[in-house]
């Protein structure tokens, strides 16, 4: 279960998710068995300009090891510089975002816009491989749109440039998150590329993840949205906990958040994660509205206790 020299303990990895996967969630997912966690995408340009948001995000906490740092940008040298910076701050792997379809990113010619420039994708990986001693990967989509599906070409170029693995979300950029991830494309890439392929898209359980691995020959599978408020999705005991079993999990997460953030920030981060934990439960909408009014972590936990454990 290797990516470059990294030997991972599980084939299930936590997907990068901007605005969702913070350091507290990454530590929790490692505790629950994720083979590796990925940071949300971080602007290489922001790192170069020493912007507070970007440089703070890039640091990996010892408890979240192994942690991959995902960078976005389009300038091979700027990306490489940010990669070096991430390596110095504890990253175990550098991943380059070549799949983000969000306007703000694509407008800069970064993220999924890079799929339209396979030669530049290769130059970026080449430059990163020279800059760091860590494994380098790239996360791609199937292509820009259905008329320009080019994951095979991009995958081959990334490999030639020295990528240790390719992460593949088999939707086009234009598709955003609509329709279904086409896992037959993951199978196709795994067959034609002599590199580990990491599939990402629509996995909802550990069991389904292993089915995808068996069906497609993917070496690893990422879990993204299904891990929000569901850290146990990575664990061997794959059954869904009852609401009252959720409380100790939220309690554990709360302690991490309090350790990692100053008090005011801790309140907003805990609220956000509590909203994920209660998703799909009866009365979640009104609970969410009540949670939003809380001003301390104690108040949030009191509400969660009433909600999950009853009076
Ligand atoms: C809120 C959100 C933020 C995301 N941010 C990133 C990101 O920063 N970098 C990235 O490569 N993919 C990002 N993704 C895509 C996921 O990593 C993943 O490929 C996609 O959600 C499909 O997997 P899933 O169905 O398991 O969520 C994001 C997805 C969501 C829902």
């Amino acid at each position: 279960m290797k990516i470059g020299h990294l030997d991972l303990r599980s084939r299930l990895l936590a997907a990068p998710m901007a605005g969702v996967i913070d350091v507290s969630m990454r530590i929790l997912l490692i505790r629950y068995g994720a083979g590796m966690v990925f940071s949300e995408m971080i602007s290489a340009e922001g790192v170069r300009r020493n912007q507070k948001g970007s440089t703070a995000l890039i640091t990996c906490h010892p408890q979240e090891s192994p942690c991959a740092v995902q960078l976005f940008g389009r300038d091979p040298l700027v990306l490489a510089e940010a990669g070096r910076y991430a390596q110095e701050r504890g990253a175990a792997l550098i991943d380059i975002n070549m799949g983000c379809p969000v306007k703000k990113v694509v407008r800069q010619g970064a993220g999924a816009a890079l799929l339209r420039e396979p030669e530049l994708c290769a130059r970026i990986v080449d430059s990163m491989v020279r800059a760091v001693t860590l494994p380098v990967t790239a996360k791609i989509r199937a292509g820009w749109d259905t008329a320009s599906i080019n994951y095979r070409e991009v995958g081959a170029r990334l490999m030639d440039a020295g990528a240790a693995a390719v992460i593949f979300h088999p939707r086009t950029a234009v598709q955003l998150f609509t329709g279904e991830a086409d896992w037959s494309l993951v199978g196709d890439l795994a067959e034609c590329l002599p590199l580990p392929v990491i599939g990402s898209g629509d996995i909802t359980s550990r069991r389904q993840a292993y089915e995808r691995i068996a069906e497609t020959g993917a070496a690893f599978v990422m879990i993204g949205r299904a891990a929000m408020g569901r850290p146990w999705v990575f664990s061997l005991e794959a059954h869904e906990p009852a609401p009252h079993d959720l409380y100790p999990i939220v309690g554990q997460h709360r302690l991490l958040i309090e350790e990692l953030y100053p008090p005011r920030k801790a309140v907003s981060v805990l609220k956000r994660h509590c909203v994920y934990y209660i998703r799909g439960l009866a009365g979640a909408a009104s609970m969410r509205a009540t949670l939003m009014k809380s001003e301390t972590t104690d108040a949030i936990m009191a509400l969660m206790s009433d909600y999950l454990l009853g009076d």
Side-chain angles (χ1 to χ4, degrees):
M1 293 197 282
K2 283 193 151 189
I3 303 180
H5 65 258
L6 273 183
D7 203 355
L8 304 183
R9 64 176 175 157
S10 166
R11 294 188 186 278
L12 310 191
L13 315 180
M17 285 189 288
V20 171
I21 186 151
D22 68 321
V23 55
S24 71
M25 180 169 164
R26 294 195 301 262
I27 292 176
L28 203 62
L29 298 185
I30 286 284
R31 287 187 188 170
Y32 275 84
M36 180 154 64
V37 288
F38 281 66
S39 78
E40 64 181 279
M41 58 178 183
I42 300 166
S43 162
E45 193 58 48
V47 175
R48 186 179 72 82
R49 292 199 204 130
N50 205 12
Q51 281 168 351
K52 213 173 137 216
S54 305
T55 47
L57 282 175
I58 218 164
T59 303
C60 296
H61 191 281
Q63 285 185 43
E64 58 174 318
S65 172
C67 172
V69 166
Q70 189 191 65
L71 297 167
F72 75 94
R74 66 175 274 114
D75 183 322
L77 294 177
V78 174
L79 279 159
E81 192 56 42
R84 257 196 300 268
Y85 188 85
Q87 173 163 322
E88 285 163 16
R89 277 155 189 78
L93 176 151
I94 306 293
D95 180 55
I96 300 152
N97 185 312
M98 299 184 178
C100 178
V102 171
K103 262 199 196 116
K104 204 176 85 185
V105 172
V106 168
R107 246 196 334 249
Q108 307 168 27
L114 291 170
L115 297 175
R116 295 191 280 200
E117 298 175 80
E119 197 266 333
L120 178 57
C121 294
R123 274 199 289 132
I124 288 172
V125 167
D126 178 71
S127 162
M128 189 64 79
V129 167
R130 288 170 199 273
V132 299
T133 56
L134 305 173
V136 175
T137 59
K139 185 159 176 283
I140 65 170
R141 284 194 176 223
W144 179 256
D145 57 18
T146 41
S148 57
I149 301 283
N150 64 349
Y151 63 89
R152 279 188 180 201
E153 179 194 353
V154 172
R157 286 197 183 237
L158 297 174
M159 184 181 79
D160 291 345
V166 174
I167 308 173
F168 187 20
H169 178 191
R171 283 184 169 92
T172 63
V174 166
Q175 239 186 311
L176 301 172
F177 284 89
T178 60
E180 282 177 11
D182 182 353
W183 277 80
S184 70
L185 304 187
V186 175
D188 181 54
L189 187 64
E191 198 176 303
C192 68
L193 202 68
L195 270 189
V197 170
I198 303 166
S200 169
D202 305 347
I203 300 291
T204 54
S205 68
R206 184 183 166 92
R207 190 166 143 192
Q208 190 195 19
Y210 278 101
E211 280 168 12
R212 293 296 193 207
I213 287 170
E215 285 159 16
T216 63
F220 299 89
V221 159
M222 273 185 165
I223 304 180
R225 289 167 291 180
M228 293 165 69
R230 299 175 72 241
W232 59 86
V233 75
F234 288 100
S235 81
L236 282 170
E237 301 158 45
H239 62 88
E240 288 290 307
H244 61 267
D245 294 326
L246 268 177
Y247 186 72
I249 301 174
V250 182
Q252 192 189 156
H253 201 156
R254 173 247 183 117
L255 291 179
L256 277 171
I257 289 170
E258 286 179 336
E259 246 173 73
L260 294 159
Y261 294 101
R264 279 181 72 88
K265 180 77 180 164
V267 171
S268 62
V269 175
L270 181 59
K271 271 184 201 171
R272 187 164 59 75
H273 286 289
C274 284
V275 169
Y276 304 152
Y277 283 109
I278 64 173
R279 258 192 329 176
L281 298 181
S286 65
M287 173 62 178
R288 183 192 154 117
T290 316
L291 270 174
M292 286 306 149
K293 293 180 201 138
S294 316
E295 289 180 357
T296 64
T297 52
D298 280 343
I300 295 170
M301 291 309 290
L303 283 172
M304 289 298 279
S305 165
D306 287 350
Y307 180 70
L308 296 171
L309 305 176
D311 297 316

